[in-house]
Structure formats: structure tokens, C-alpha cells
């Protein structure tokens, strides 16, 4: 069962930052927060993951609250190609365990 | 980075026939592969976990005799939908977990296979 909750949909203006929230109040101490996105009719694409520190890569930033019960994925300058469904998943890293996907957030970037 | 491929990308078959979908890890070895199914406007649903050289573990509600999974090597898993019916029409996605190096334990997804049963 999915252990995360996300808003079903969000809009963002092109060029602005997109902030996607995720609640994971039952996260365990050894579980990481992963973010994937799925563009229509494609496989999920890895974005970023983190344990407790904030993380940044070329795609996005991940902000995790101090109590680790929620996180925010930030796309700093959203483009039309960022329109996708974004999934927040918690899982123990490097274990090969399966992902259980929640319903995700459908992000629409508006011109 | 680690790449997972699926073949075919799209397939149309007649009701009652069987369809085989291949999932390959192209540049890494994967002891574990996962199969997901996704219906329109829904999330990915895990169907089964496939371990190389052993029987697959199916999620509750997934018929193992209908969805045959074979994981004969560290780079290939196959899903066969037997006696397909229109309700089996869906987007099937596999993922693979690396065994060593940077890909160890991390999961990489294939591009998906669109199955349409007429």
C-alpha cells in the first residue's frame, strides 16, 4: 500500500517554480523519499531521492521537513515539458524492494 | 545510466490468444525485476516480483496462471498474458534492480508496452 498522500492536480505557469507537496507521516527511519514522474504513455522517470537532508540535482530540488513527515519537490523553472504525473514514494534504499505507487499529482504547466 | 528496454512497445492481439512481453536490462545485471500494470488515468499497480532463477511472487488478486513470468537470466524477464481478453488491455511496465555498483538496489523503469486486445 502507498504510504504517501499528494494533491491530485496542480497548475503552474511556465517559467515559474513548481512546488509539489507530499505527506509521508508514517515514514520509517531507514526509508528514503523518492520522486518519479511519468509523462503520458511513458515509463516512470527518476527525478531525485533523499533521506533527511535537502537534495538538489540538475532536474529538481527536494526539501524534506525536519520531522521527515512531509517533503516538497521543487522544479525551479517549469517548462511545458514538465507536464506529467509526479509520484512521491517512500522506500528503503538499496534493498531492491518494490515501489508501491500512490495516485500522484498531475502537474500541468501553463504557457 | 542504467537502461531498461521493453519489447514490443505496442501490441494488438485477438481475444483468446497469448502475448509475450520482454523486459531487458541493457547495461547492468538485474537479479530482481518487477511488473506493473496501468489502466488509463490510474496509477501503476504492482503485479509481481520476478527473481532470476526462481518463481515470481504475485501481488494479491493477480492470477499467476494468467500472467506467466519467466526470469531466466540476469538481463531478461518475460511476461506472458495467456488467453488475453479485452479487459487485459492495459499499459504494462517493467522495472529492474541492479546487483552491483551505482545501480545496486536502485530501480530503473522500462518505457512500457501498450497491449490492446480486440
Amino acid at each position: 500500500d502507498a504510504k504517501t498522500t499528494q494533491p491530485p492536480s496542480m497548475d503552474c505557469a511556465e517559467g515559474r517554480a513548481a512546488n509539489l507537496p507530499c505527506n509521508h507521516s508514517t515514514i520509517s527511519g531507514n526509508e528514503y523519499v523518492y520522486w518519479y514522474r511519468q509523462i503520458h504513455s511513458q515509463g516512470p522517470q527518476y527525478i531525485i531521492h533523499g533521506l533527511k537532508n535537502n537534495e538538489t540535482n540538475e532536474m529538481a530540488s527536494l526539501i524534506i521537513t525536519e520531522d521527515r513527515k512531509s517533503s516538497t519537490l521543487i522544479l525551479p523553472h517549469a517548462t511545458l515539458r514538465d507536464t506529467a504525473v509526479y509520484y512521491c514514494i517512500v522506500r528503503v534504499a538499496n534493498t531492491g524492494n518494490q515501489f508501491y505507487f500512490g495516485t500522484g499529482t498531475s502537474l500541468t504547466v501553463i504557457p | 545510466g542504467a537502461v531498461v528496454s521493453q519489447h514490443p512497445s505496442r501490441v494488438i492481439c485477438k481475444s483468446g490468444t497469448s502475448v509475450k512481453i520482454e523486459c531487458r536490462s541493457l547495461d547492468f545485471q538485474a537479479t530482481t525485476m518487477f511488473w506493473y500494470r496501468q489502466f488509463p488515468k490510474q496509477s501503476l499497480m504492482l503485479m509481481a516480483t520476478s527473481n532470476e532463477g526462481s518463481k515470481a511472487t504475485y501481488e494479491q488478486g493477480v492470477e499467476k496462471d494468467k500472467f506467466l513470468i519467466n526470469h531466466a537470466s540476469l538481463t531478461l524477464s518475460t511476461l506472458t498474458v495467456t488467453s488475453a481478453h479485452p479487459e487485459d488491455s492495459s499499459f504494462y511496465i517493467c522495472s529492474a534492480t541492479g546487483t552491483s555498483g551505482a545501480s545496486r538496489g536502485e530501480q530503473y523503469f522500462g518505457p512500457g508496452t501498450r497491449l490492446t486486445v480486440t
Side-chain angles (χ1 to χ4, degrees):
Chain A
D1 291 335
K3 298 172 62 174
T4 63
T5 57
Q6 300 174 251
S9 63
M10 292 182 64
D11 293 339
C12 176
E14 187 179 17
R16 304 296 292 269
N19 297 285
L20 293 89
C22 179
N23 287 322
H24 30 80
S25 58
T26 61
I27 191 170
S28 301
N30 61 348
E31 287 183 316
Y32 284 67
V33 180
Y34 284 79
W35 283 84
Y36 280 78
R37 73 180 182 184
Q38 186 180 27
I39 297 171
H40 181 63
S41 293
Q42 297 183 24
Q45 176 190 22
Y46 168 80
I47 301 174
I48 199 167
H49 74 285
L51 182 63
K52 54 182 179 181
N53 296 323
N54 297 337
E55 301 287 344
T56 295
N57 62 21
E58 64 278 6
M59 290 182 68
S61 295
L62 173 60
I63 308 298
I64 302 173
T65 58
E66 192 168 343
D67 63 8
R68 302 212 319 124
K69 292 185 177 182
S70 65
S71 61
T72 301
L73 178 74
I74 301 173
L75 307 179
H77 305 287
T79 70
L80 299 180
R81 283 179 290 186
D82 292 322
T83 293
V85 178
Y86 288 76
Y87 295 99
C88 167
I89 305 163
V90 296
R91 193 197 73 151
V92 179
N94 299 325
T95 60
N97 289 347
Q98 54 270 71
F99 283 119
Y100 288 102
F101 285 78
T103 54
T105 295
S106 178
L107 175 69
T108 301
V109 180
I110 302 169
Chain B
V3 178
V4 175
S5 70
Q6 284 184 239
H7 178 79
S9 58
R10 291 177 177 272
V11 57
I12 301 173
C13 72
K14 292 186 183 298
S15 185
T17 62
S18 295
V19 175
K20 180 184 287 186
I21 302 170
E22 292 185 348
C23 176
R24 293 182 185 273
S25 55
L26 297 184
D27 50 2
F28 67 102
Q29 292 186 327
T31 53
T32 305
M33 292 184 172
F34 304 94
W35 287 95
Y36 296 83
R37 179 169 52 180
Q38 185 176 34
F39 293 108
K41 298 190 184 299
Q42 294 187 23
S43 185
L44 285 77
M45 296 297 296
L46 180 66
M47 297 176 67
T49 302
S50 167
N51 291 297
E52 186 264 339
S54 63
K55 291 184 177 181
T57 302
Y58 291 82
E59 294 295 300
Q60 190 173 5
V62 178
E63 299 175 60
K64 61 178 172 59
D65 294 330
K66 180 170 183 61
F67 299 99
L68 302 179
I69 293 173
N70 183 277
H71 192 163
S73 77
L74 286 173
T75 59
L76 174 64
S77 177
T78 60
L79 168 68
T80 301
V81 183
T82 63
S83 187
H85 291 284
E87 57 265 30
D88 298 322
S89 297
S90 188
F91 193 51
Y92 291 87
I93 303 168
C94 73
S95 68
T97 299
T99 59
S100 62
S103 64
R104 185 180 68 84
E106 296 304 332
Q107 200 166 139
Y108 304 92
F109 288 84
T113 296
R114 175 77 57 193
L115 170 63
T116 303
V117 184
T118 61

